[in-house]
Amino acid sequence: MRFFPELCVVCSCMDHSQSGLCPDCAATMPWQAPGCLRCGIETRLNFPTELPVCQQCLDDPPAFNSCHTVFDYCSPVVELVSRFKYGAGFAEGRVLARLLCQSLREFYTEGELPEILVPVPSHRSRLRRRGFNQAIELARVVSRHTGIALSLTDCQRVHASKAQRGLSAQERRQNMVGAFSLHRNRHLRQYRRLAIIDDVVTTTATVHELARCLRHDEGQRIDVWAVARVN
């Protein structure tokens, strides 16, 4: 079978690598720099002579164990995510998901992969407006590439929180309290290693609350996988 080159999702030139990014654009993308091993935020610590965890996570650890992202949330990633989420840009979504998979292969050179993927649920009112959940679309691609099982019905968003934009980190976290619930069969309780999938991590308020909902004992490992992180 012959595979034809794709168009680069950034500049629209022919991408013979079939990654969705031409070499020139790939070289200038805002790849996420090493950061806090817990929340993923970029830090200026001198690894490995200083503790690779930010002060915020030391003072108030999140409910998840680690956060891995591919990009800093700036141009052209902002535009790619926006076209995916608000313009049904599924081509952009597939490329972003493939780049996430590529990054994960490098991140998990040692240690066990999660057993199941949990995309951040959308409230039904948002699903009606947008027509799809971008976290689910990303998770479908990641599941196909990694072979990790995908949970689509075990967790739900039970209330539509008010817009997070303009809120402080503490206000965002308070805004998300009680936003998620597990279905009664508690299917996810059997897994010891889970990964939450989202498109963009801003203050970690959303993924913290979902991890808090999923966690039932300290022995679980819950990682967060996302396309981009706001630094």
Side-chain angles (χ1 to χ4, degrees), residues 17 19 21 49 56 71 82 89 103 105 112 147 177 181 187 209:
S17 72
S19 69
L21 284 178
T49 59
Q56 176 64 34
F71 299 110
S82 180
S103 179
R105 284 195 292 271
E112 294 180 292
V177 170
S181 71
H187 173 68
E209 184 61 25

Side-chain angles (χ1 to χ4, degrees), residues 4 59 88 124 141 157 165 175 197 208 210:
F4 292 93
D59 295 339
R124 59 183 178 274
V141 177
R157 192 159 188 158
R165 185 172 297 176
N175 189 36
I197 303 282
H208 165 80
L210 181 53

Side-chain angles (χ1 to χ4, degrees), residues 54 56 93 96 130 211:
C54 72
Q56 176 64 34
L96 293 171
R130 189 172 295 165

Side-chain angles (χ1 to χ4, degrees), residues 124-140:
R124 59 183 178 274
S125 60
R126 180 166 294 178
L127 281 173
R128 282 197 298 267
R129 291 196 304 272
R130 189 172 295 165
F132 68 98
N133 176 344
Q134 72 277 1
I136 288 178
E137 298 306 316
L138 292 170
R140 289 188 200 277

Side-chain angles (χ1 to χ4, degrees), residues 168-186:
S168 68
Q170 186 58 40
E171 289 170 335
R172 284 172 180 251
R173 184 172 286 195
Q174 186 60 40
N175 189 36
M176 294 303 301
V177 170
F180 304 104
S181 71
L182 295 182
H183 288 301
R184 291 181 181 179
N185 62 15
R186 297 175 180 263

Side-chain angles (χ1 to χ4, degrees), residues 58-71:
L58 290 174
D59 295 339
D60 185 18
F64 51 86
N65 295 84
S66 74
C67 178
H68 179 77
T69 58
V70 187
F71 299 110

